[in-house]
Amino acid sequence: MKKQLTFGVIVGSRGFFPHHLAKEGREEIIKVLDVAGYKSIVLSPEQTQHGAVQTPDDARHCAELFKQHREEIDGIIVTLPNFGEERAIVDAIRLSTLKVPVLVQATPDRTDIMKITNRRDSFCGKMSACNNLMQYGIPYSLTALHTVSPGSEAFGKDLAWFAAVCRVVNGFRNLRIGAIGARPAAFNTVRYSEKLLELNGVSVETLDLSEILGRINLMKDTDDAAQSTLAAIKSYVSTNGIPDAALMKMAKLGAVIDGWMKETYCTISAIQCWTSLEEYFGVVPCTIMSMMSENLFSSACETDVVGVLSMYGLALASETPSALLDWNNNYGEDPDKAVCFHCSNLPKHFFADVVMDFQEIIAGTVGKENTFGTCVGRVKAGAMTYLRFSTDDFNGKIRGYVGEGEFTNDPLETFGGAGVVRIPKMQKLLRFICERGFEHHVAANFSTVASPVYEASTRYLGWDMHYHENPNA
C-alpha cells in the first residue's frame, strides 16, 4: 500500500528581488524532497527564468506541466525563496485544475545579510500568497513556523505532516468500501448514510452473506486460493489447538472475500459477524479481518462502514495498521483511563503476543466449536491516535472527533483483545461523545497523527471535526 508521494513544486519569485535566491531556492527544495524520499514535478530553468513562476506565461507553463502529471501529483508545495509573485502562483494552481492539498513554505531572512542583494521578504510574501489563495477559494496548509528553511529539521517535520495530509485526502478520493452482510439487528449504532458518503466521493459496494456462503460452498478444499489463504493464516498467527475443519472454513472465507473485493475494486471492508457466521457457517471471521487490517486494507466488524473509514483514515496518515475498538470499560477510579476492547479482530501489530482461540462471548449461545478464529492477546503499550467519523443524516454532513493518548501497561485480566488507554481529560471527551450521540466504536492506531487527520478532514474534505485537547488551539 505504501507509495512514494509526488509533489508539484511552485517556486515563487518576484522580478525586482534577487534572482539568485529563486535559483538557489529551487535547487534546495528539490534536493530536500529527494533526500526525504519524495518525487518533485517542477519547472526547469529552460522553461522559465530559474524554473520559477513570476509571469502570466510562467503560470501557464506550470499549469500545463502539472496537467501532464495530474495522475502522479499528490500535493503542491509553494516555496518562497523571496517575496514571490502572488497572482502567478495562484493562477498556476487554478489553471492546473488540480484538487490536491497545498503547502505554503517561506524561507527566512538572515539578519546578517539583509541588504538588497540577499534580502528575501518571504515573511511578508507568504501573507500575500495566502491572501490570494483565500480569494481564489483554494484550500491550503501552513508550516508550523511562519518562515522555515527547507533544509531544517523543522521543515522535515512539516513535510512528513503534509505527506500524511495528502495520503488521507487522496486515499479517500474514489474510495470503495465493501459492506459484506447486513447490519446486525441489535446494532442501530452502526447505521449510516450511504448517500452522504457517496456525495463525499466514497462508494459502498454491498454483498449479502448468502452470496459469500454460496461461493464458499462451491469452493473445493484443494482450490489454489483456499490453500494459499490457509498457508497465510498458519504463518500469521499460532493455530495450536484449532480444528483443521475450522481453519479450512476460515481459509475459504478469506479467499472468497479477497476475490470479491478485487472484482469490485474495494479497498477496505465492513463485515457482518454477530452471530450469523457462527450459527450458519461455524467460525468467526476475526483472523481474516485481522490479516486484512495488518496489511493496511482495514476491516471492521458489525458492518460498521463509517468505522472502517475511520480505521483507514488513521492507516493512511500513519502507514501502520488500525483497529476498531469499543470504548468498553472504566479502569478503576482513574478518570483519564479506560479499557478498549474487541473480541477480537485486531491486527497483530497491536499485540505483544497473540494466538488464535475461540470467541468466549458468542460461544455461550452457539457453542465453542462454532467460534474459532479470534485473535486473543493483550494490546501492547505505546502512543495512540483515536478517530471516529460519523454521518450526520439530520444536518447532511460528515462529522467526527480525533485526538491522542496512549495504551498503557496497566494490569488487566480479561479475554479477547483488550488494552488500557490513558487520554488527557478523558471525562470531557466521553461527555462530548455522549452529548453528540457518537457511536461506541472508535478507530485506534499506534501513532501521533491527529493533527494531519484533522487538517485533511476539515480543510480539504470539509467535514465537521472536533480535535480533543488540540495543542494548536
Side-chain angles (χ1 to χ4, degrees):
M1 176 180 160
K2 292 186 179 182
K3 66 178 287 267
Q4 183 182 33
L5 294 188
T6 298
F7 296 123
V9 179
I10 298 176
V11 181
S13 184
R14 181 163 277 186
F16 48 79
F17 281 84
H19 289 292
H20 73 91
L21 296 176
K23 177 180 181 296
E24 294 161 4
R26 176 185 176 278
E27 293 169 352
E28 183 178 19
I29 194 72
I30 291 172
K31 181 179 179 181
V32 165
L33 291 172
D34 182 60
V35 170
Y38 305 112
K39 292 175 63 179
S40 56
I41 305 295
V42 58
L43 288 169
S44 70
E46 291 73 36
Q47 291 172 296
T48 66
Q49 187 177 26
H50 303 304
V53 175
Q54 301 181 79
T55 69
D57 279 346
D58 294 346
R60 281 158 175 76
H61 285 309
C62 183
E64 186 59 35
L65 177 66
F66 285 1
K67 283 181 179 179
Q68 292 170 13
H69 296 273
R70 67 179 307 108
E71 297 302 320
E72 303 170 54
I73 294 176
D74 298 291
I76 294 172
I77 297 175
V78 175
T79 181
L80 299 173
N82 64 39
F83 189 97
E85 194 61 61
E86 62 224 48
R87 185 168 182 181
I89 290 168
V90 292
D91 280 344
I93 297 173
R94 173 186 276 180
L95 292 170
S96 75
T97 69
L98 289 177
K99 303 296 182 183
V100 295
V102 176
L103 179 68
V104 184
Q105 173 269 330
T107 303
D109 274 301
R110 287 172 46 185
T111 55
D112 58 332
I113 49 169
M114 282 189 65
K115 294 184 179 179
I116 192 66
T117 54
N118 288 292
R119 183 165 147 166
R120 299 179 183 276
D121 285 16
S122 306
F123 186 103
C124 182
K126 181 175 180 178
M127 298 177 192
S128 295
C130 292
N131 175 270
N132 277 262
L133 287 165
M134 180 273 297
Q135 290 187 43
Y136 280 50
I138 299 171
Y140 57 92
S141 298
L142 302 172
T143 54
L145 298 172
H146 183 67
T147 55
V148 61
S149 297
S152 67
E153 181 180 348
F155 186 64
K157 292 179 180 178
D158 290 326
L159 266 183
W161 175 87
F162 184 61
V165 172
C166 292
R167 286 193 297 269
V168 174
V169 173
N170 298 325
F172 282 179
R173 185 172 289 125
N174 299 319
L175 177 66
R176 294 174 69 84
I177 302 175
I180 301 170
R183 169 183 59 80
F187 283 82
N188 276 0
T189 188
V190 298
R191 286 173 169 172
Y192 71 99
S193 171
E194 195 174 324
K195 292 180 179 179
L196 278 178
L197 291 178
E198 194 71 71
L199 187 63
N200 285 270
V202 177
S203 298
V204 178
E205 186 78 15
T206 60
L207 183 71
D208 193 82
L209 271 186
S210 64
E211 296 185 57
I212 288 285
L213 297 178
R215 293 187 187 195
I216 289 173
N217 191 50
L218 296 174
M219 182 178 285
K220 296 179 179 179
D221 290 0
T222 55
D223 187 280
D224 287 346
Q227 287 296 318
S228 175
T229 306
L230 180 61
I233 291 171
K234 290 180 176 180
S235 66
Y236 180 73
V237 63
S238 172
T239 59
N240 291 337
I242 307 300
D244 289 341
L247 290 172
M248 179 53 68
K249 287 181 179 181
M250 292 178 223
K252 288 183 176 181
L253 176 65
V256 167
I257 290 174
D258 182 63
W260 175 77
M261 290 184 67
K262 287 176 179 175
E263 290 171 12
T264 54
Y265 297 95
C266 289
T267 303
I268 58 178
S269 59
I271 301 174
Q272 179 185 356
C273 166
W274 201 294
T275 57
S276 294
L277 280 173
E278 294 77 20
E279 289 188 65
Y280 302 109
F281 184 53
V283 292
V284 295
C286 297
T287 294
I288 296 301
M289 300 172 73
S290 173
M291 291 167 67
M292 288 191 285
S293 293
E294 181 74 12
N295 290 312
L296 307 189
F297 300 112
S298 302
S299 188
C301 54
E302 293 151 6
T303 327
D304 189 351
V305 167
V306 192
V308 78
L309 186 68
S310 309
M311 292 172 67
Y312 195 51
L314 292 177
L316 287 166
S318 69
E319 298 185 290
T320 61
S322 300
L324 192 68
L325 299 166
D326 286 354
W327 293 117
N328 211 74
N329 311 89
N330 61 288
Y331 187 75
E333 301 298 321
D334 194 324
D336 285 342
K337 290 182 180 178
V339 176
C340 281
F341 166 89
H342 248 161
C343 45
S344 93
N345 61 5
L346 277 60
K348 68 178 183 180
H349 176 77
F350 269 65
F351 298 109
D353 293 292
V354 59
V355 297
M356 187 187 292
D357 208 339
F358 70 98
Q359 216 281 15
E360 292 194 40
I361 299 177
I362 305 179
T365 55
V366 304
K368 175 181 175 180
E369 69 278 4
N370 294 315
T371 63
F372 288 106
T374 58
C375 292
V376 175
R378 173 65 195 271
V379 175
K380 63 189 179 184
M384 171 206 193
T385 301
Y386 55 88
L387 171 66
R388 179 70 211 190
F389 293 130
S390 183
T391 56
D392 182 351
D393 304 54
F394 299 106
N395 295 296
K397 60 185 178 183
I398 296 176
R399 61 177 185 154
Y401 64 86
V402 68
E404 293 173 356
E406 63 174 331
F407 288 103
T408 74
N409 275 321
D410 288 303
L412 183 66
E413 292 290 335
T414 187
F415 59 95
V420 178
V421 300
R422 189 189 73 82
I423 295 171
K425 298 185 180 178
M426 189 172 192
Q427 295 302 308
K428 181 179 177 182
L429 172 64
L430 295 171
R431 177 173 288 275
F432 173 85
I433 291 169
C434 291
E435 286 182 343
R436 302 299 175 91
F438 278 99
E439 297 81 353
H440 68 291
H441 285 168
V442 65
N445 189 281
F446 281 94
S447 64
T448 53
V449 293
S451 177
V453 168
Y454 181 78
E455 179 83 357
S457 304
T458 56
R459 191 171 302 279
Y460 297 102
L461 300 175
W463 298 350
D464 185 9
M465 296 293 294
H466 169 69
Y467 191 163
H468 178 64
E469 296 302 298
N470 184 353
N472 299 315

